[in-house]
Amino acid sequence: MGRAGSGGDGGRDRGGGGSGHGTVRHGPPTPPDGLPVPPVLAGVLASAASRAAAEPVGGGAAVLEAARGYWGRRGVGDDAARVVVAPGAPSLLLALTAALGGDVLVPRPCAAWWAPYARLLGRPVFHVATPAECGGVPDPYALLETVRRVRAEGGEPRLLVLSVADDPTATVAPPEAVHEAVEAAEGAGLHVVSDETWRDTVHRPRDTVLVSPAEMLPGQVTAVSDLSGAHLPAGWPAAIARLPGTPAGHDLHARVLDVLTALGARVATPVAAAAARALEEPAELTARREAVVRLHARVADAVHRTVVTAGALSRPPRAGRHVYVDLGPLRDALAARGVGDAQELEDHLTARLGMPAPGGHRFGDDLGALRVRLSTGALLGTTDAERAECLTSPSPLELPHVHRALTLVRSVFDGLGDDAQRWEPR
């Protein structure tokens, strides 16, 4: 039996998978926005393409200054804090995990890319239950109990990774839930990495309060953001981190740079130029980002209504470009179609919908739970012209290509719902 038990909440991550499915080692990528590259960013990238010099490890002066400004505008920047830029959040998390050492704790479910890097380093990963109202942050009592059990069995829990605006659940954790989780982590002596990739994709920013753990506990939290979440195309890998402005934070910064140096993890010079421009948040890019968020929010709401009407369970999406669905109530209808676990559900829906539909096991949920993440970017069309039209249309859901895609989603889930109703006991 593994430390802190196996399976269930507080269970050690063995990589997912199950009988006949192999082991899930790497999860699906971050859902792309599906939209053409903004012309201003394409221009910056092209103008920097002739530069032969490499960016320094950790980022050059221009992109570091832009990253400091970005964090400062969000209330988590200060003169003593250190900033790092790397080619994607995975390389940052790998470097932080290597530098901090010890065992890793994550919520269940969590972003698919968190656990593989701990496993790559041979570090145990322990999943912790989340509160009923949201994903992304651990329940404080479950966190403390997991830490106690891991230590009692000889483990060394040192790192908690969480996300206020969450992939996969698309929820935004309320400030009180974040505060309770961070307070519990502080009491347990854990360093917190706050994945803030999706913080700039909140669907209704005027009605949603998003508070970073780095605002609550600046000396013990590292904030990380992969710019593919809201600022750069997925094919231009760049991410930023804000480390504590304490002596321990400065030491952590040096060790993270050591790891990134050993990996040769430098941001490509043209991408660094585009990242710097994006992080400066000029009005043109800010307006486009807000339009992209509104578009994906409308599509996500439509998908959410469809799956709930069919009888599935899903928290209303509040951020990001995805909807997390629990089809447990439709288990009998799915079983009649040969679907009995999350991998089979993934295969079934991917084939029926014609788009990736990764199962919940890829996000740390149990294989037997019938959960799936549906992404909105795949519903915006198949060409750049169709996707660009979505961004400018006053009624994007009524565009023929979007309407067809949503109709297919509705047909698939309505069919499952109808089957479930026919088989209900009379």
Side-chain angles (χ1 to χ4, degrees):
M1 182 175 179
R3 282 195 270 126
S6 60
D9 295 327
R12 179 173 178 170
D13 183 351
R14 291 173 173 78
S19 177
H21 294 310
T23 303
V24 177
R25 291 293 180 186
H26 299 283
T30 297
D33 68 12
L35 298 167
V37 176
V40 63
L41 291 183
V44 171
L45 187 85
S47 67
S50 61
R51 299 180 193 171
E55 282 284 299
V57 171
V63 70
L64 286 175
E65 184 61 28
R68 289 189 190 96
Y70 171 89
W71 290 123
R73 288 189 295 277
R74 283 151 182 81
V76 296
D78 58 70
D79 293 339
R82 298 299 178 95
V83 177
V84 177
V85 182
S91 59
L92 283 173
L93 186 57
L94 175 65
L96 286 162
T97 305
L100 288 164
D103 300 344
V104 180
L105 296 100
V106 298
R108 183 192 299 277
C110 69
W113 59 271
W114 291 357
Y117 299 95
R119 290 199 297 266
L120 184 64
L121 294 168
R123 304 283 166 75
V125 179
F126 296 90
H127 289 269
V128 183
T130 56
E133 67 268 29
C134 66
V137 300
D139 175 89
Y141 301 104
L143 176 65
L144 293 174
E145 174 60 16
T146 301
V147 169
R148 184 195 67 77
R149 292 168 60 193
V150 171
R151 286 180 174 150
E153 296 175 15
E156 294 183 274
R158 293 184 186 174
L159 172 61
L160 168 66
V161 186
L162 53 75
S163 182
V164 178
D166 185 45
D167 172 19
T169 65
T171 58
V172 176
E176 57 271 20
V178 180
H179 184 270
E180 290 172 355
V182 170
E183 190 176 56
E186 180 184 25
L190 304 175
H191 188 87
V192 176
V193 169
S194 175
D195 175 13
E196 304 193 1
T197 296
W198 299 104
R199 69 168 297 153
D200 295 322
T201 68
V202 172
H203 294 177
R204 296 172 181 82
R206 294 182 180 178
D207 302 326
T208 306
V209 179
L210 186 152
V211 180
S212 169
E215 297 179 61
M216 300 176 176
L217 195 65
Q220 210 164 319
V221 175
T222 294
V224 172
S225 179
D226 195 303
L227 300 186
S228 68
H231 301 278
L232 289 180
W236 301 4
I240 58 175
R242 171 266 181 211
L243 286 77
T246 62
H250 294 172
D251 180 60
L252 177 60
H253 174 260
R255 285 181 284 144
V256 164
L257 291 182
D258 284 344
V259 176
L260 293 176
T261 300
L263 294 173
R266 304 169 187 263
V267 179
T269 299
V271 174
R277 186 58 175 153
L279 290 168
E280 290 167 354
E281 300 182 288
E284 179 182 354
L285 289 179
T286 299
R288 187 184 193 273
R289 183 184 73 214
E290 292 172 351
V292 171
V293 171
R294 288 194 298 270
L295 170 63
H296 284 281
R298 295 177 74 171
V299 177
D301 284 345
V303 173
H304 180 260
R305 287 194 301 271
T306 293
V307 298
V308 171
T309 299
L313 303 175
S314 176
R315 295 188 184 103
R318 295 288 182 250
R321 303 187 284 258
H322 46 278
V323 180
Y324 200 56
V325 186
D326 183 350
L327 285 90
L330 307 179
R331 182 175 293 275
D332 289 344
L334 286 164
R337 299 169 186 236
V339 176
D341 63 26
Q343 181 62 61
E344 291 168 350
L345 178 63
E346 174 182 311
D347 296 341
H348 177 78
L349 289 180
T350 296
R352 295 292 308 279
L353 296 173
M355 58 181 266
H361 60 306
R362 299 189 182 274
F363 308 99
D365 260 332
D366 291 335
L367 181 65
L370 294 175
R371 297 184 183 125
V372 66
R373 186 188 72 184
L374 303 177
S375 299
T376 53
L379 304 174
L380 302 182
T382 58
T383 68
D384 280 350
E386 287 182 343
R387 292 187 285 262
E389 189 179 8
C390 293
L391 201 54
T392 58
S393 171
S395 304
L397 303 190
E398 297 175 11
L399 293 172
H401 52 280
V402 178
H403 180 73
R404 284 194 300 270
L406 290 173
T407 298
L408 176 58
V409 174
R410 191 175 304 114
S411 174
V412 169
F413 280 91
D414 284 353
L416 291 172
D418 290 344
D419 287 350
Q421 288 181 0
R422 281 197 298 269
W423 294 331
E424 283 181 355
R426 300 296 181 183

